Each structure stands twice: as structure tokens, then as C-alpha cells.
Amino acid sequence: MDLSVKPGDDFYTYASGNWIKNNPVPAKETRWGSFNVLREFNIQAVRNILTESAKNTSAVPGSVEKRVGDFYAAAMDSAAIDKLGYKPIKNDLKKASKVKTHQQVLDQMAEMRVNGVASPLFGFWVGQDRKNPNVMIPQLSQGGTTLPDRDFYLKNDARSTKIQEAYKSYIVKLFTLTGEKEAKAKKHAETIFNLEKKLAEAQMSRVEMRDPHKTYNKFAVASLSKTTSNIDWKSLMAKMKVTGEDTILVNNPKFFTEINTLLTQTPVSDWQTYLQWNVLKSAAPYLSKPFTDANFAYSQVLSGQKVQTPRWQRMSQLTDGTIGELLGQLYVKKHFQPAAKARMDEMIANLIKAYEIRIKNLDWMSPATKEKALAKLHAFTPKVAYPSKWKNYDGLEIKRESFYQNLRNASVWGYNDMVSQLGKPVDRTRWGMTPATVNAYYSPVMNEIVFPAGILQFPFFDPNADDAVNYGGIGAVIGHEISHGFDDSGSQYDKDGTLRNWWTPEDLSRFKEKASALEKQFNEYTVLDTLKVNGKFTLGENIGDLGGLNAAYEAFKMTKQGQSKEMIDGFTPDQRFFLSWAQVWRTNILPETAAQLIVTDPHSPGEYRTIGTPVNMDAWYEAFNVKPGDKLYKKPEDRIRIW
């Protein structure tokens, strides 16, 4: 803490100033805060498990330990990987260069997808139908670009131009590494950039993409093909292993009419280049050192990171991302305390109770809507620590001597696993995160809140800490995820996870008014020179924080400590609660990363998460004696109260 600062003037610095001063961003990172400290601890824990598994030559063939150990051992064998150069993708590049007609371009894209090579031109997945969440349905989304956001193609300010140039240099570098002459590689870079820029122009913005009604467009497969005369979706889907499905969801129909035109307007030779680029960029982080170095040099311009993340860390993360539920079984055995799950279950029950009290006491919502809100709250499914049913990746071949092939096999396995869900009941035991992940999520179609084992550790959670610390940390995280069910997007889904309005028009209009005030509050926060927080883009997360911290405080006041005035380390229970919240969000961040996240991350920067919610809570003003004249002071009537 920096006690020389008044909490009412700068609560962020007061709570975390000395930590921020003494903890610069390490060279291998792009930001450094509580999340990163815990992720660092976790990745070391994962590394130890992986190293031990890789060393254990007596592990039983087919066992979890053997498969995890073999995957990691192959990933760490950089000598074997360097020797191969780009050999693992030679054949894919050759196939991409052989397409002769526009139909073959489409066929090649389908083949690349099912063979785990790349996902060019558009996004495709299988997921729940938002208006009928008991049914799995094929879904198409805009895609086809490489830069982190469409804006990076469309803007020409200095920051965007620098990124565009770095991107083109990266394309040139990868092509020359496969033996292409520099002049030709430069031509390729222009071709790819211009083609992707056209795709970017057809994409909706991230703010538009947050509207679940706008992105819900259901087509009969035959009708979709009528809007795209050059793409017969029935035959293309069959090549993507999807047969017998007569309907499909599309998030941006305009994008698909645009690519339909672009398909035949663009020479086949340009598509050959684009397909080769998709092979190259997907493989580059996993090929020999010249490729991984080129990949890092490009990402450096985007993020500002000083040195490459060590190989063990990249490969530990890759193992978690590829076979996370095999690794998760070993991780949970070693690092998860059953007592922590019991404490979490109790906290979740308390948070739900607190939320119920808060909904009942809302002065802006009618009884009819309250009843629906409470029904939704009581239908929430919490999942804690790890899945009740592990995914065992049956049939996935992992060999100790073939790193790239392991990755390819895992991609194919994942793709087949995804399409196999069509025509089956929704599997409600599935998880969207691995057990070792330091994060949490809410799924509107499942109406579930999920907390992996990875986040159930200090500073978010400590079974031995006082309630103030736990409720200000993991309590607020639980409340945040519950609030996603009631944010500007999640509130459009009912208790069954169906995208369907359950609000009276008057209540909805009052809710939107309050949300708009929160949007304005965050629009005022400056991140970097002229860059400000995008209040509309971050609205869901900011509502999550506002609802979550209020509910956590309500739940904290039900505990013995919450009702006492007993000081610990010179701070009252309420002060400890808010300090715990603030210290979760302390962060140092590189300017390049900050600029990128403003465009791509729906969460507000840590410093504004720290203050954005407390300034709307009377309890915070009382806890720290914040008065008119203090910089963060808001008049009681201007404090925003939603949930």
C-alpha cells in the first residue's frame, strides 16, 4: 500500500502503490499483476508435473501420466524440431499452391479445417442454439483475418500503421524461410494484407458482436446457399464432416455475401497465396527456431514484450491448452484441497442468497420482472474446481518423437469431437476452461457459473484467510460471474438459457438507462495518451463488477466478521474487504499491450476496475471516510446502482 495517498483521491495507488512501484513487468511478460503472479505460480506447478511425467519412463502405456509426459517431452525436444525446419508443413503448402479453380479453393479450406491445418476465411463451430439451448447446431462466424482486430486494418494512425508494417514484414519473413525469393514474398505480403483488409471491412465491430440478437441469424442451409451463389453450403459442410443438418446459425450474414463476391473477384493465384499463408501462420509457433523467432518478433510489436517467453512455459501452456483435461487430472490430484471446494460451495450459496436479497430490494424493478430474475438466479448451475466427468481423448495418438504430428492429431481429434455433438443431447458436464486456468466464466446458454481450481488460490481465495479478504477477492469473482447473467447481454437469456425477453418494457428501459450511465462513467477514463476506455465494449464486464462487488459485500455482511468492528493490522473489516478487491486488480502493463487490449479486451484496465465500482458504493465512502472535495467523490444521487 501507499499510505501517503488519500484513498478518496486515488484508491488504486493507496491500495497498491508500493507494489506497483516495486513490481515492474518482467521481460518475458506483457503485464504483471495479481493474476499474473498466480499464473506464474500455477505454470511452475504445471511445469513440475510435466517434467516429472516426461521423466517417468516406467509410466503405463496409455495412462494419463504417460500421454501427458510424452506430449511435453516431444514439445521440449527442440533439437529434433529444429532439424525438421518447415518439413512438417511442406505437403500442406504444396496442396495450397495447387488449387486451380474457385471451387477447389473452397474444398481446400474445408480439407485444411478437418485435418487440423488451419481455419481460413471464416469461423465454424458447433454449439448450442441460443433460442433452443437443448439443441446443438452448426454455426458460422466472420473471420479470415490475422491481426487482433478489424480496426488494425482500417485505421491509419501511427500506432496502426506500425502494426501493419510489422505484420507485412512477418509475412515476408515466413515465406522467405520456406525458400521464397524476397521480392516474391513482398508481393505475397501485399496480396494477403489487401485481401484480409477486404475481409476486415466486411466484419462487424466487437461492440456490434456483443448483441446476441444481432448475431442470431438462422438459415435453412439451402436458403443460405441462395444468398451466396458461389458457395453451396450443403456440399461444403459435407466436406467439413457435417451431414444431415438442415439449419445453420450465422453471426454476420453480410460478411458471407461479401466473401461470396470476393471469392470469384479474387484471382485463384491470390487465394493460393492466402491458403499458404494460413498454413504458415498456424504452424509458425511450433516449427524450428527461425520460425518461432519470427513469430516472436511480430508479436513483440503488438505487445511490447522484451524477451521471448521461455520454451518450457510456452510448452506447458500448450499442453494445458491441447490436452488440458489429462493434465488437469494430475494437477487436481496434487494442487487442489477438497476443503477449498467445501468453502467455495458455501460462499457460492451465500452469494446467491445475497443476490436474492438485492433483487427483492431493487427500487427500480417491478414485481413481475423480479420474479423472473429470481427464477433465473435459482436456476444457476455452479461448477467448482474440475469436471465431474473427465474428457479422456480416446483415440488421440500422442508419440514422444513427433511434436508437430501430436498437435495435428489433437486438432483433428478436437474437430471430430466437436462435430460428433450434432444430433446428441447437450452435454452439461462439459467445461469451457481447463482445471489449471486462473479465470472463471458464465455461460448464458448453460446458465452456469464456473470456477476452475486454478483461480481458487491466493490472492483470490485462501481457506485460512479472514472473510473480508475472501469476500473481497473470490466472493467478488463469484458475484461478477452471477452478474453476467444479468448484464446487458446475459440479461437477454432466461432461466433455461434461451435467448428470450423476460422483462417488462418499463423495467428494460430503466435497466438500459442505468447501464448507459455506467457506460458514460467508463468512457471518461484515459488509458494512454488519447486512448480512452470504450464504455460500450466493456459494459458487460463493468456491470459484472458493479453487481458482483455489491453482492459480495452484502454476503460479507452476513458473516460474523462482517458484522463486527474488530480491526486486523489496523484496518476495519470493511476496509479489508475493499482493499482485497483493489489488490486483486493491481497491474503494471506495457503501453503496446495496453493499446491493443483497449481494442480487443472487453474488461476495463485494472486501475479502473479498482475504482469504477467502489465509487458507486456508499459503504466504500463510509469505510474510508471519503468526503466532498476528494477526487473520487460522487454525490449520493449520482452513484450508479443496478443490481
Side-chain angles (χ1 to χ4, degrees), residues 35-78:
F35 264 93
N36 309 85
V37 173
L38 177 47
R39 282 184 181 136
E40 180 75 9
F41 167 82
N42 248 19
I43 204 71
Q44 290 288 357
V46 164
R47 177 196 198 176
N48 293 339
I49 292 169
L50 292 171
T51 311
E52 279 169 30
S53 302
K55 272 190 206 146
N56 182 1
T57 45
S58 60
V60 180
S63 67
V64 170
E65 194 171 1
K66 169 88 172 129
R67 300 173 82 200
V68 165
D70 285 354
F71 185 93
Y72 185 67
M76 289 304 288
D77 189 354
S78 50

Side-chain angles (χ1 to χ4, degrees), residues 193-212:
F193 184 83
N194 293 335
L195 185 50
E196 290 189 357
K197 186 178 178 181
K198 286 178 183 152
L199 297 174
E201 283 162 355
Q203 291 177 1
M204 289 199 288
S205 73
R206 284 177 190 257
V207 170
E208 291 174 287
M209 294 294 289
R210 289 196 68 251
D211 181 338

Side-chain angles (χ1 to χ4, degrees), residues 465-477:
D466 54 304
D467 279 326
V469 170
N470 276 330
Y471 278 91
I474 199 75
V477 173

Side-chain angles (χ1 to χ4, degrees), residues 19-33:
W19 188 93
I20 288 162
K21 214 180 307 173
N22 297 323
N23 289 275
V25 180
K28 71 182 179 75
E29 302 288 338
T30 57
R31 50 178 161 171
W32 196 247

Side-chain angles (χ1 to χ4, degrees), residues 1 25 60 77 215 268 274 320 353 380 387 402 406 418 466 486 535 579:
M1 296 175 69
V25 180
V60 180
D77 189 354
T215 54
V268 171
Y274 174 75
D320 185 40
K353 198 177 350 172
F380 271 59
S402 54
N406 290 342
M418 175 180 79
D466 54 304
F486 301 101
L579 287 168

